[in-house]
Amino acid sequence: MLKLRGMTVRCPLVRECMAEFLGTFVLMLFGCAAAAQVKTSNETKGQFLSGNMAFSVGVMSAMYLTKGISGAHLNPAVTLSFCVLGKVSWSRLVPYSLSQVVGAFVASGVVYLVYYDAIMTFSGGVLTVYGRNETASIFATYPSDYLSVGRSFFDQVVGTSMLLLCILGLEEKRNTPAPSELVPVVVAGVVLGISISMSANCGAAINPARDLGPRLFTLAAGWGTEVFTCYNYWFWVPVVAPLVGGVFGSLMYLIFIDWQLPDPDQLERISTISEKLAKKQPVTTLEKGDELKAMHF
């Protein structure tokens, strides 16, 4: 493949931020474009499931695109959780998060340009957050009328907890890891599951960048300050709650799974005993203590 001399970025952090920007851009382009298509067509060109599937395809595509460079976090809640777990340096938290927010912002701008005529026709040229012809929800998430702030916060904590809880073990060799080339597919499936089961209340943002970037775009593009002041200044919920939920889900994974798995040395002994049992070879006295574990595994 063609590689121009001098075009390779030498600074690892800059390369990683570029990947996070582009990955989040791809994720949001798929998702917001699907939302625009469904909304402006009055659900004649897609329904509720369309947006959920588009975001999942966006996650999968973005991970295949960028995982080898930055790990494809695509989400400040994921980055924060990985920092807490010691998987990523804390020095990456702010640069990654800013790159993700900017990627989501730019993707929203592209979707706006692609669907500009449809948005203006559907809304009658009035860009608003409320009413039957509102179009702000194409980009950011908003709560249902029946939902309290406290309940919406809990909703986002639960959703993001499930995200981290379900993805942290995918590459754990001591457990049942997914094939590395299929990890993006599995993550996309997890995101789809969360979206189709927990998005009725307030859109299942589970990602501060996914919500804040598009909200900032709508502020600049003509929707005005209403995108931040509506629903009693609700905008902070999909920014803060996923951060709390991501850390909580990570702690759940540590306590219930990671700390309960055998250490690498024990795992190697169990593997050796399993092989001997399979071949009907004698087990030494030192190994007998692990024999039942080997049979269990």
Side-chain angles (χ1 to χ4, degrees), residues 266-281:
Q266 185 184 32
L267 192 65
E268 186 176 349
R269 291 198 305 271
I270 289 172
S271 177
T272 301
I273 296 168
S274 297
E275 291 177 3
K276 287 185 176 182
L277 290 172
K279 296 177 181 179
K280 298 183 179 180
Q281 294 178 353

Side-chain angles (χ1 to χ4, degrees), residues 87-111:
K87 294 177 177 289
V88 174
S89 168
W90 282 96
S91 64
R92 259 58 178 170
L93 177 59
V94 173
Y96 274 32
S97 298
L98 287 176
S99 300
Q100 293 154 3
V101 171
V102 174
F105 181 97
V106 175
S108 299
V110 173
V111 171

Side-chain angles (χ1 to χ4, degrees), residues 61 101 166 196 242-243:
S61 302
V101 171
C166 293
I196 63 178
L243 299 175

Side-chain angles (χ1 to χ4, degrees), residues 35-45 115-139 223:
Q37 180 170 300
V38 172
K39 168 72 75 171
T40 59
S41 69
N42 284 306
E43 297 192 0
T44 60
K45 298 178 181 177
Y115 279 99
Y116 177 82
D117 294 330
I119 290 171
M120 289 302 168
T121 300
F122 177 81
S123 66
V126 180
L127 303 178
T128 183
V129 175
Y130 298 104
R132 182 180 178 278
N133 293 331
E134 64 82 18
T135 47
S137 63
I138 289 173
F139 301 96
W223 279 262

Side-chain angles (χ1 to χ4, degrees), residues 7-8 24 38 52 84 122 124 132 142 153 161 182 197 206 214 271 280:
M7 290 299 292
T8 301
T24 311
V38 172
N52 295 327
V84 170
F122 177 81
R132 182 180 178 278
Y142 294 89
F153 190 93
S161 295
L182 291 181
S197 62
I206 62 172
S271 177
K280 298 183 179 180

Side-chain angles (χ1 to χ4, degrees), residues 81-291:
S81 298
F82 281 15
C83 289
V84 170
L85 294 172
K87 294 177 177 289
V88 174
S89 168
W90 282 96
S91 64
R92 259 58 178 170
L93 177 59
V94 173
Y96 274 32
S97 298
L98 287 176
S99 300
Q100 293 154 3
V101 171
V102 174
F105 181 97
V106 175
S108 299
V110 173
V111 171
Y112 178 71
L113 293 176
V114 170
Y115 279 99
Y116 177 82
D117 294 330
I119 290 171
M120 289 302 168
T121 300
F122 177 81
S123 66
V126 180
L127 303 178
T128 183
V129 175
Y130 298 104
R132 182 180 178 278
N133 293 331
E134 64 82 18
T135 47
S137 63
I138 289 173
F139 301 96
T141 61
Y142 294 89
S144 298
D145 293 334
Y146 58 78
L147 201 64
S148 67
V149 172
R151 198 74 67 190
S152 63
F153 190 93
F154 181 68
D155 173 278
Q156 288 297 285
V157 168
V158 171
T160 317
S161 295
M162 290 302 99
L163 174 66
L164 269 297
L165 179 63
C166 293
I167 69 174
L168 280 174
L170 292 180
E171 297 180 291
E172 175 56 71
K173 303 301 183 185
R174 297 173 298 162
N175 204 341
T176 49
S180 59
E181 63 273 13
L182 291 181
V183 168
V185 178
V186 178
V187 174
V190 172
V191 171
L192 179 61
I194 294 171
S195 298
I196 63 178
S197 62
M198 286 182 274
S199 61
N201 283 336
C202 48
I206 62 172
N207 182 342
R210 175 263 174 275
D211 194 86
L212 183 58
R215 199 177 298 274
L216 288 170
F217 171 78
T218 52
L219 170 68
W223 279 262
T225 57
E226 190 177 45
V227 299
F228 282 94
T229 61
C230 66
Y231 297 101
N232 196 25
Y233 294 88
W234 182 83
F235 77 91
W236 65 271
V237 173
V239 174
V240 177
L243 299 175
V244 176
V247 173
F248 184 75
S250 300
L251 292 177
M252 287 179 64
Y253 175 78
L254 282 179
I255 295 169
F256 286 92
I257 303 298
D258 186 77
W259 294 345
Q260 313 311 322
L261 291 170
D263 60 48
D265 291 338
Q266 185 184 32
L267 192 65
E268 186 176 349
R269 291 198 305 271
I270 289 172
S271 177
T272 301
I273 296 168
S274 297
E275 291 177 3
K276 287 185 176 182
L277 290 172
K279 296 177 181 179
K280 298 183 179 180
Q281 294 178 353
V283 177
T284 67
T285 303
L286 291 176
E287 292 173 334
K288 285 183 177 179
D290 289 325
E291 186 172 352

